[in-house]
């Protein structure tokens, strides 16, 4: 198996659009990872952000620590080298985390607004948001879901009504990381990021800066494939919630990053989010049964159960709850400061 490359320009030509949709359907169902070319994001918009990463990470430590995640109950800001963990092991990278600024939905007892206003990247953020919405329309079309079905998930009001007739009230929150993987100087299997599926959004658009390799994708046979940087492309993969809501029709694929040896590696993942007061069950109700039965028909019920397993526990059906669990487990020092030892213990126990 190889990681497919899809030319989004084909969507503009009626005679080629069917070919693109066939390629996309195959990539969604069988691979869960792909590259997109001719995506419409201007090169200067990408370079305006990507070109600044070496200088940003070269700032003095005390400047970067002024934006430490420890200052944020929302897990936004800077985390230093090996401060984040995946599956209990430190990730050999440092990073800045940003997110869409939302209206204040909570104030602590002192009435303090905890909204962060960190380093803004509006041009890049807006361009990636626009690309993601266009891409989601192609996903709908590839699966013969009425185009625009998922638009309600990305609007700020009257998003979706649950069986209890409670409307989601939050706007979707997209998250973005600016990441540096420092060269180790030795040939090793150092963990840049450990094996995982994305749990921070609906889908991910990743820009790999430069030519340094490191990203690897686990295929269905258990082989790690190198997702090498390709000029002019974004890497696209899909989150746990997308896989669970489609009951496996969209594959969320395990991937990892190996720490670089000779040269530093930089990347910019953009996680397309949903309103955190939605549930996976609500989203699933939007998806036709024909789509939700695709994985079952192909691979059996056990494959469906594996796809939806992260959300079988009713506690994690809520996107917000599952997101909080993820961040607490990855940044336990931040969790201890803002949420206390009882919540830290609750979310990090092995049975959760």
């Amino acid at each position: 198996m190889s990681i497919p490359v899809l030319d989004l320009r084909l969507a503009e030509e009626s005679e080629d659009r069917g070919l693109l949709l066939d390629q996309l359907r195959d990539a969604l169902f069988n691979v869960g990872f792909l590259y997109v070319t001719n995506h419409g994001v201007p090169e200067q918009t990408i370079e305006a952000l990507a070109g600044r990463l070496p200088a940003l990470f070269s700032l003095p430590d005390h400047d970067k620590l002024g934006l430490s995640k420890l200052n944020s109950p929302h897990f936004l800001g800077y985390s230093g080298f090996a401060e984040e963990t995946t599956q209990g092991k430190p990730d050999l990278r440092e990073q800045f985390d940003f997110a869409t600024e939302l209206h204040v939905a909570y104030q602590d007892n002192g009435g303090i607004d905890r909204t962060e206003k960190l380093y803004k990247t509006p041009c890049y953020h807006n361009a990636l948001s626009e690309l993601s919405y266009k891409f989601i329309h192609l996903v709908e079309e590839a699966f013969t879901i009425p185009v625009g079905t998922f638009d309600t998930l990305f609007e700020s009001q009257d998003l979706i009504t649950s069986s209890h007739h409670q409307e989601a009230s939050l706007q979707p929150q997209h998250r973005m990381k600016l990441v540096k993987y420092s060269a180790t100087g030795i040939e090793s299997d150092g963990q840049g990021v450990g094996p995982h599926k994305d749990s921070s959004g609906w889908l991910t658009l990743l820009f790999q800066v430069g030519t340094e390799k490191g990203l690897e994708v686990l295929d269905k046979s258990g082989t790690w494939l190198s997702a090498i940087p390709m000029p002019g492309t974004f890497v696209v993969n899909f989150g746990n919630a997308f896989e669970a809501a489609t009951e496996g029709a969209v594959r969320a694929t395990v991937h990892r990053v190996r720490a670089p040896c000779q040269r530093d590696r930089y990347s910019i993942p953009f996680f397309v989010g949903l309103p955190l007061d939605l549930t996976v069950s609500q989203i699933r109700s939007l998806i036709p049964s024909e789509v939700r039965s695709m994985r079952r028909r192909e691979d059996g019920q056990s494959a469906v159960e594996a796809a939806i397993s992260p959300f079988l526990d009713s506690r994690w059906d809520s996107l917000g709850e599952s997101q909080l669990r993820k961040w607490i487990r990855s940044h336990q020092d931040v969790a201890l400061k803002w949420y206390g030892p009882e919540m830290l213990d609750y979310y990090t126990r092995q049975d959760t």
Side-chain angles (χ1 to χ4, degrees):
M1 186 183 78
S2 61
I3 302 172
V5 182
L6 273 62
D7 184 351
L8 296 189
R9 188 166 50 192
L10 297 181
E12 302 170 6
E13 304 295 336
S14 58
E15 62 270 24
D16 295 324
R17 191 177 183 90
L19 172 62
L20 173 64
L21 295 175
D22 288 344
Q23 293 172 339
L24 178 57
R25 187 183 309 109
D26 181 72
L28 293 165
F29 189 80
N30 291 310
V31 187
F33 253 78
L34 57 123
Y35 297 90
V36 293
T37 64
N38 295 310
H39 42 69
V41 179
E43 183 178 349
Q44 58 268 31
T45 298
I46 299 173
E47 182 57 27
L49 179 58
R52 296 180 178 181
L53 296 192
L56 175 65
F57 284 99
S58 295
L59 289 171
D61 287 343
H62 70 269
D63 288 342
K64 292 183 287 188
L65 291 174
L67 293 174
S68 171
K69 275 194 180 75
L70 282 170
N71 300 325
S72 168
H74 311 296
F75 300 91
L76 299 175
Y78 173 75
S79 53
F81 185 77
E83 287 184 2
E84 185 176 21
T85 62
T86 302
Q87 297 187 356
K89 293 180 61 178
D91 296 327
L92 304 182
R93 64 177 180 176
E94 57 180 309
Q95 61 198 341
F96 291 87
D97 282 76
F98 307 92
T100 309
E101 292 183 8
L102 303 180
H103 68 275
V104 178
Y106 169 80
Q107 292 184 339
D108 66 15
N109 292 334
I112 299 173
D113 178 357
R114 295 292 186 190
T115 302
E116 267 88 15
K117 295 185 183 295
L118 300 174
Y119 182 81
K120 291 179 177 292
T121 57
C123 292
Y124 191 89
H125 179 283
N126 294 343
L128 270 288
S129 297
E130 182 178 353
L131 171 60
S132 70
Y133 301 149
K134 291 179 179 178
F135 185 82
I136 289 168
H137 285 168
L138 290 174
V139 172
E140 292 170 332
E141 195 173 350
F143 279 143
T144 65
I145 299 171
V147 174
T149 294
F150 295 141
D151 287 358
T152 54
L153 304 178
F154 299 100
E155 296 169 358
S156 60
Q157 297 179 347
D158 300 327
L159 294 168
I160 185 172
T161 303
S162 73
S163 58
H164 300 291
H165 304 289
Q166 294 175 333
E167 292 182 348
S169 58
L170 297 180
Q171 299 176 33
Q173 184 176 61
H174 309 319
R175 298 183 73 103
M176 182 173 70
K177 291 178 181 284
L178 308 178
V179 187
K180 177 185 178 182
Y181 302 90
S182 295
T184 62
I186 56 173
E187 293 287 351
S188 69
D189 290 325
Q191 176 172 297
V193 179
H196 67 286
K197 295 182 179 182
D198 282 354
S199 58
S200 296
W202 192 232
L203 60 86
T204 305
L205 298 166
L206 170 72
F207 183 73
Q208 301 186 86
V209 182
T211 60
E212 190 67 21
K213 296 185 293 185
L215 176 62
E216 296 182 336
V217 179
L218 190 65
D219 73 7
K220 291 191 291 185
S221 70
T223 301
W224 287 104
L225 305 176
S226 179
I228 62 173
M230 296 179 59
T233 68
F234 286 99
V235 178
V236 184
N237 65 283
F238 306 92
N240 273 331
F242 210 158
E243 182 175 53
T246 60
E247 298 184 19
V250 173
R251 182 183 292 274
T253 304
V254 174
H255 53 287
R256 69 184 182 186
V257 176
R258 298 180 63 177
C261 174
Q262 299 298 331
R263 294 187 299 272
D264 297 338
R265 178 179 183 269
Y266 299 93
S267 68
I268 309 172
F270 183 88
F271 304 96
V272 180
L274 297 174
L276 296 179
D277 52 354
L278 284 179
T279 67
V280 172
S281 298
Q282 288 174 307
I283 303 167
R284 189 178 294 125
S285 70
L286 297 175
I287 298 171
S289 60
E290 301 81 35
V291 174
R292 291 186 284 108
S293 64
M294 288 175 62
R295 183 64 62 188
R296 185 177 292 103
R297 292 196 305 268
E298 182 78 13
D299 298 329
Q301 179 62 26
S302 61
V304 175
E305 292 174 357
I308 66 176
S309 62
F311 300 94
L312 287 176
D313 188 321
S314 60
R315 290 174 296 176
W316 318 132
D317 191 44
S318 163
L319 294 181
E321 189 82 5
S322 62
Q323 283 284 288
L324 181 60
R325 173 179 179 247
K326 184 266 184 197
W327 292 115
I328 284 179
R329 292 168 75 98
S330 296
H331 297 280
Q332 296 187 21
D333 54 345
V334 180
L336 184 63
K337 175 179 177 179
W338 290 103
Y339 299 100
E342 291 185 5
M343 286 191 67
L344 177 61
D345 178 68
Y346 175 77
Y347 285 109
T348 55
R349 278 179 291 185
Q350 290 301 311
D351 61 352
T352 59

